[in-house]
Amino acid sequence: MPPPAAQTLPPPAVPPPAGSPLVDPFGRAITYLRVSVTDRCDFRCIYCMSENMTFLPRAEVLSFEEIDRLASAFIRRGTRKLRLTGGEPLVRRGILDLVRRLGRHLGNGLDELTLTSNGSQLAGMAADLAAAGVRRINISLDTLDPDDFARVTRWGRLHQVLEGIAAASAAGLHVKLNMVALAGINEAQIEPMLAFAAAGGHDLVMIETMPLGEIGGDRVDHYLPLSRVRERLATRWTLIDLPDQTGGPARYVRIAETGQRLGFITPLTHNFCEGCNRVRLTATGQLYMCLGQDDVADLRRVVRATADDGALDAALDEAISRKPRGHDFVIDRRGAAPAVRRHMSVTGG
Ligand code: SAM
Ligand code: SF4
């Protein structure tokens, strides 16, 4: 018997059902969303910003309602981890309201709600963050020397951050310290930072400078390959490679003598893209599918145009279908323009 005519037609072009996981063309499930809640900051770190930054007009920045709607759509589609970043997330007015609002998803699709912060405002906010369901926080700290700290952050003061770290620990938050490796600036601080992290029970993660945005200086001068840091550390400590558990760019070792974990984020010397599970939403609702590429999807246009979550789902599918295989960072041409023109504070580190 001939098959019914309907079977010979091509399948209808229907979007996948709402709630189906977001999977990119390379089979990577998107389970991690980073949201930059502001491009503003109370510091001006030399590797991140120039001293005179022009920030976005407020009307361009997503409202808390809009961030919530977008984050909730991602969580419906399989996002299990949400990180708020910036700029400095804790300088956005009313940020605790947003954290509480997003915290309602914890245990209800979302496994983890966390932040990356410079720590300057944390002394007054750590307890509220913990009460809202935050359990872990990444705090940037490049040096324990007060003069060098002021030099690196331009506007920051070390005591603010140390007080913030103490408050976070007292509130029961697990603290991971991010330290950008800067040749000629904080190389001598690696051992003191390891000791500080061990004493406080914090993880320490070292980061290579990435060529993101004009910073009014030459980043190449301060570029310090972590392969060199690792070699130096290995002359003094026994470094045991740990299996990758984060799906992220950090590779961890355990220092046998102290038992502590040390991470290395080496975007320039190691390609971390194969296991990439993340996308980044800017403060203006632009979704970057890759930190190191310029392709972007305008989700603000969708949330401001329609209350229809079906249209939003379709926009997420379309965006994720464009996630590239990997990044194109290069930092070795002295004087060359940054590989990616936007600052880390725009995309959200
Ligand atoms: N203000 C917060 C902070 O400093 O933690 C969150 C945003 S900041 C952009 C996130 C992380 O990116 C920080 O750990 C910072 O040190 C790092 N970062 C900024 N610019 C960078 C660059 N060009 N290369 C590597 N890391 C960078
Ligand atoms: Fe601000 Fe963080 Fe950039 Fe430093 S690294 S200027 S604290 S956004």
Side-chain angles (χ1 to χ4, degrees):
M1 209 168 77
Q7 283 190 2
T8 61
L9 293 173
V14 287
S20 62
L22 287 169
V23 179
D24 79 1
F26 305 97
R28 298 170 298 192
I30 305 307
T31 57
Y32 182 6
L33 175 68
R34 297 166 82 112
V35 180
S36 173
V37 297
T38 177
D39 63 329
R40 291 165 197 254
C41 188
D42 52 347
F43 291 2
R44 290 288 181 281
C45 301
I46 53 173
Y47 48 79
C48 179
M49 294 190 182
S50 59
E51 191 146 22
N52 302 311
M53 294 287 290
T54 309
F55 293 113
L56 294 161
R58 285 184 205 280
E60 295 207 8
V61 172
L62 295 178
S63 67
F64 286 164
E65 289 72 20
E66 290 166 338
I67 294 176
D68 188 16
R69 186 168 163 221
L70 281 167
S72 301
F74 272 96
I75 293 165
R76 274 200 311 278
R77 303 293 304 275
T79 287
R80 308 198 65 92
K81 178 168 171 180
L82 201 58
R83 177 178 299 279
L84 304 184
T85 176
E88 173 49 38
L90 298 183
V91 301
R92 175 138 181 201
R93 193 174 310 148
I95 186 68
L96 288 171
D97 294 338
L98 178 67
V99 176
R100 289 188 195 106
R101 204 187 270 233
L102 295 172
R104 77 184 184 285
H105 293 292
L106 286 165
N108 196 10
L110 191 64
D111 296 335
E112 186 170 12
L113 174 59
T114 183
L115 295 94
T116 301
S117 169
N118 65 22
S120 69
Q121 310 298 313
L122 205 50
M125 290 189 179
D128 288 325
L129 291 172
V134 175
R135 295 288 168 263
R136 309 162 69 84
I137 187 162
N138 289 5
I139 302 177
S140 300
L141 180 61
D142 299 325
T143 171
L144 291 164
D145 178 282
D147 295 332
D148 286 342
F149 185 87
R151 182 174 158 215
V152 170
T153 60
R154 292 197 185 102
W155 296 3
R157 295 297 168 261
L158 179 65
H159 73 89
Q160 299 171 276
V161 179
L162 296 182
E163 286 158 23
I165 292 170
S169 292
L173 301 180
H174 182 269
V175 173
K176 187 190 283 182
L177 299 172
N178 284 344
M179 174 183 187
V180 175
L182 298 163
I185 297 186
N186 66 359
E187 288 177 86
Q189 281 287 308
I190 297 171
E191 295 279 347
M193 284 285 294
L194 274 171
F196 176 80
H202 316 306
D203 282 337
L204 179 64
V205 175
M206 302 200 60
I207 308 176
E208 265 172 9
T209 46
M210 294 179 232
L212 299 174
E214 300 287 354
I215 51 168
D218 196 347
R219 201 176 257 124
V220 180
D221 288 344
H222 297 306
Y223 175 58
L224 173 60
L226 290 183
S227 49
R228 203 192 311 159
V229 172
R230 199 187 149 126
E231 274 166 26
R232 270 188 225 150
L233 285 172
T235 62
R236 167 138 193 238
W237 306 100
T238 312
L239 308 180
I240 303 165
D241 281 310
L242 295 175
D244 176 30
Q245 284 170 343
T246 64
R251 296 286 170 269
Y252 282 92
V253 296
R254 190 170 298 289
I255 301 182
E257 290 82 354
T258 63
Q260 75 190 115
R261 288 205 322 161
L262 172 65
F264 298 99
I265 296 186
T266 55
L268 307 175
T269 54
H270 178 98
N271 200 317
F272 57 74
C273 304
E274 325 69 60
C276 183
N277 60 356
R278 62 200 59 194
V279 288
R280 294 173 162 84
L281 185 68
T282 70
T284 60
Q286 309 305 301
L287 188 75
Y288 282 94
M289 283 67 81
C290 173
L291 179 63
Q293 301 273 3
D294 285 326
D295 191 28
V296 71
D298 184 358
L299 297 183
R300 184 183 65 185
R301 189 183 52 75
V302 184
V303 287
R304 290 194 177 170
T306 173
D308 173 13
D309 281 341
L312 186 51
D313 268 324
L316 297 192
D317 285 314
E318 192 281 326
I320 300 307
S321 77
R322 285 193 267 139
K323 186 166 164 67
R325 188 187 284 275
H327 68 67
D328 295 327
F329 287 136
V330 185
I331 202 171
D332 58 357
R333 284 169 315 207
R334 181 165 290 264
V340 171
R341 301 208 70 80
R342 62 188 188 278
H343 292 90
M344 183 75 119
S345 54
V346 171
T347 327

